[in-house]
Amino acid sequence: MKRLLKNLLVVLLLSITVFSAFKYVKVLKDHYRLEGELKQAKTQLSIIREEKQNLLQRIEKEKLQAEELKSRAGSFKKHLLAVKNRLEKLFSDYKNLQAQDRALNSQVAQLKEENRLL
Protein backbone atom coordinates (compact mmCIF):
# COMPACT_ATOMS: atom_id res chain seq x y z
CA MET A 1 0.00 0.00 0.00
CA LYS A 2 2.82 2.28 0.84
CA ARG A 3 4.43 1.52 -2.47
CA LEU A 4 1.18 2.24 -4.35
CA LEU A 5 0.81 5.50 -2.54
CA LYS A 6 4.40 6.36 -3.35
CA ASN A 7 3.86 5.51 -7.06
CA LEU A 8 0.67 7.57 -7.14
CA LEU A 9 2.50 10.48 -5.59
CA VAL A 10 5.33 10.16 -8.15
CA VAL A 11 2.82 10.00 -11.03
CA LEU A 12 1.01 13.01 -9.60
CA LEU A 13 4.26 14.94 -9.25
CA LEU A 14 5.34 13.95 -12.78
CA SER A 15 1.97 15.04 -14.14
CA ILE A 16 2.25 18.35 -12.34
CA THR A 17 5.81 18.75 -13.65
CA VAL A 18 4.81 17.98 -17.26
CA PHE A 19 1.77 20.28 -16.98
CA SER A 20 3.96 23.04 -15.52
CA ALA A 21 6.56 22.56 -18.24
CA PHE A 22 3.91 22.92 -20.98
CA LYS A 23 2.47 25.97 -19.24
CA TYR A 24 5.96 27.45 -18.91
CA VAL A 25 6.69 26.88 -22.62
CA LYS A 26 3.32 28.49 -23.53
CA VAL A 27 4.00 31.47 -21.27
CA LEU A 28 7.51 31.77 -22.71
CA LYS A 29 6.15 31.74 -26.29
CA ASP A 30 3.58 34.41 -25.34
CA HIS A 31 6.33 36.43 -23.70
CA TYR A 32 8.52 36.41 -26.84
CA ARG A 33 5.52 37.14 -29.05
CA LEU A 34 4.53 40.07 -26.84
CA GLU A 35 8.12 41.26 -26.72
CA GLY A 36 8.22 41.27 -30.53
CA GLU A 37 4.94 43.16 -30.69
CA LEU A 38 6.26 45.64 -28.14
CA LYS A 39 9.40 46.22 -30.25
CA GLN A 40 7.22 46.74 -33.32
CA ALA A 41 4.96 49.14 -31.41
CA LYS A 42 7.99 51.07 -30.15
CA THR A 43 9.34 51.30 -33.71
CA GLN A 44 5.97 52.55 -34.98
CA LEU A 45 5.80 55.02 -32.09
CA SER A 46 9.25 56.31 -32.99
CA ILE A 47 8.22 56.73 -36.62
CA ILE A 48 5.00 58.51 -35.62
CA ARG A 49 6.90 60.84 -33.29
CA GLU A 50 9.34 61.66 -36.07
CA GLU A 51 6.46 62.35 -38.47
CA LYS A 52 4.80 64.50 -35.81
CA GLN A 53 8.00 66.52 -35.38
CA ASN A 54 8.31 66.96 -39.14
CA LEU A 55 4.68 68.10 -39.36
CA LEU A 56 5.17 70.56 -36.49
CA GLN A 57 8.23 72.01 -38.25
CA ARG A 58 6.27 72.23 -41.49
CA ILE A 59 3.36 73.97 -39.73
CA GLU A 60 5.76 76.46 -38.13
CA LYS A 61 7.38 77.16 -41.50
CA GLU A 62 3.97 77.67 -43.12
CA LYS A 63 2.92 80.01 -40.28
CA LEU A 64 6.03 82.10 -40.90
CA GLN A 65 5.31 82.16 -44.63
CA ALA A 66 1.71 83.18 -43.95
CA GLU A 67 2.88 86.02 -41.69
CA GLU A 68 5.34 87.15 -44.34
CA LEU A 69 2.61 87.09 -46.98
CA LYS A 70 0.29 89.10 -44.71
CA SER A 71 3.06 91.64 -44.17
CA ARG A 72 3.73 91.87 -47.91
CA ALA A 73 -0.01 92.20 -48.59
CA GLY A 74 -0.15 95.08 -46.10
CA SER A 75 2.76 96.78 -47.85
CA PHE A 76 1.10 96.29 -51.23
CA LYS A 77 -2.16 97.76 -49.90
CA LYS A 78 -0.33 100.82 -48.59
CA HIS A 79 1.53 101.20 -51.89
CA LEU A 80 -1.68 100.74 -53.87
CA LEU A 81 -3.43 103.38 -51.76
CA ALA A 82 -0.55 105.81 -52.33
CA VAL A 83 -0.67 105.16 -56.10
CA LYS A 84 -4.46 105.64 -56.09
CA ASN A 85 -4.12 108.96 -54.27
CA ARG A 86 -1.40 110.07 -56.69
CA LEU A 87 -3.55 109.12 -59.70
CA GLU A 88 -6.54 110.99 -58.27
CA LYS A 89 -4.35 114.07 -57.82
CA LEU A 90 -2.97 113.72 -61.35
CA PHE A 91 -6.47 113.42 -62.83
CA SER A 92 -7.60 116.42 -60.81
CA ASP A 93 -4.58 118.41 -62.01
CA TYR A 94 -5.27 117.27 -65.59
CA LYS A 95 -8.89 118.49 -65.39
CA ASN A 96 -7.74 121.82 -64.01
CA LEU A 97 -5.18 122.16 -66.79
CA GLN A 98 -7.84 121.34 -69.40
CA ALA A 99 -10.09 124.03 -67.95
CA GLN A 100 -7.20 126.53 -68.00
CA ASP A 101 -6.38 125.49 -71.57
CA ARG A 102 -9.99 126.10 -72.68
CA ALA A 103 -9.98 129.46 -70.93
CA LEU A 104 -6.69 130.46 -72.55
CA ASN A 105 -7.89 129.25 -75.96
CA SER A 106 -11.01 131.32 -75.51
CA GLN A 107 -8.93 134.38 -74.59
CA VAL A 108 -6.62 133.79 -77.57
CA ALA A 109 -9.64 133.53 -79.84
CA GLN A 110 -10.99 136.81 -78.42
CA LEU A 111 -7.62 138.52 -78.87
CA LYS A 112 -7.39 137.28 -82.44
CA GLU A 113 -10.86 138.59 -83.10
CA GLU A 114 -9.92 141.97 -81.57
CA ASN A 115 -6.75 142.04 -83.69
CA ARG A 116 -8.66 141.27 -86.81
CA LEU A 117 -11.13 144.02 -86.03
CA LEU A 118 -8.34 146.55 -85.54
Side-chain angles (χ1 to χ4, degrees), residues 84-100:
K84 179 184 170 220
N85 289 338
R86 218 167 84 209
L87 279 174
E88 286 175 352
K89 184 181 180 316
L90 287 172
F91 278 118
S92 174
D93 290 347
Y94 177 71
K95 286 181 182 180
N96 288 338
L97 287 174
Q98 278 182 329
Q100 287 176 0

Side-chain angles (χ1 to χ4, degrees), residues 31-47:
H31 171 74
Y32 285 123
R33 179 184 54 81
L34 290 173
E35 198 173 67
E37 289 176 5
L38 180 62
K39 275 185 182 178
Q40 188 177 19
K42 283 182 178 179
T43 302
Q44 288 176 345
L45 181 62
S46 175
I47 290 169

Side-chain angles (χ1 to χ4, degrees), residues 19-34:
F19 176 77
S20 296
F22 280 119
K23 278 293 197 183
Y24 178 75
V25 168
K26 184 182 181 312
V27 167
L28 202 57
K29 280 183 180 179
D30 288 345
H31 171 74
Y32 285 123
R33 179 184 54 81
L34 290 173

Side-chain angles (χ1 to χ4, degrees), residues 2-113:
K2 206 174 190 183
R3 191 175 181 148
L4 181 65
L5 194 59
K6 191 176 181 183
N7 284 339
L8 282 173
L9 186 61
V10 168
V11 168
L12 178 67
L13 288 175
L14 279 174
S15 299
I16 291 173
T17 303
V18 169
F19 176 77
S20 296
F22 280 119
K23 278 293 197 183
Y24 178 75
V25 168
K26 184 182 181 312
V27 167
L28 202 57
K29 280 183 180 179
D30 288 345
H31 171 74
Y32 285 123
R33 179 184 54 81
L34 290 173
E35 198 173 67
E37 289 176 5
L38 180 62
K39 275 185 182 178
Q40 188 177 19
K42 283 182 178 179
T43 302
Q44 288 176 345
L45 181 62
S46 175
I47 290 169
I48 289 171
R49 283 184 177 158
E50 187 176 321
E51 287 176 359
K52 177 186 171 187
Q53 191 63 34
N54 289 340
L55 289 173
L56 288 174
Q57 288 174 350
R58 187 172 165 190
I59 287 171
E60 190 62 33
K61 186 186 287 185
E62 288 182 7
K63 280 183 183 178
L64 291 173
Q65 287 176 345
E67 287 177 18
E68 183 181 339
L69 288 174
K70 283 181 185 177
S71 173
R72 289 177 65 192
S75 295
F76 286 143
K77 283 181 183 178
K78 287 178 185 175
H79 181 70
L80 186 61
L81 184 61
V83 168
K84 179 184 170 220
N85 289 338
R86 218 167 84 209
L87 279 174
E88 286 175 352
K89 184 181 180 316
L90 287 172
F91 278 118
S92 174
D93 290 347
Y94 177 71
K95 286 181 182 180
N96 288 338
L97 287 174
Q98 278 182 329
Q100 287 176 0
D101 185 49
R102 281 192 296 271
L104 288 174
N105 283 337
S106 173
Q107 288 176 357
V108 167
Q110 284 177 352
L111 290 174
K112 281 183 182 180
E113 184 61 32

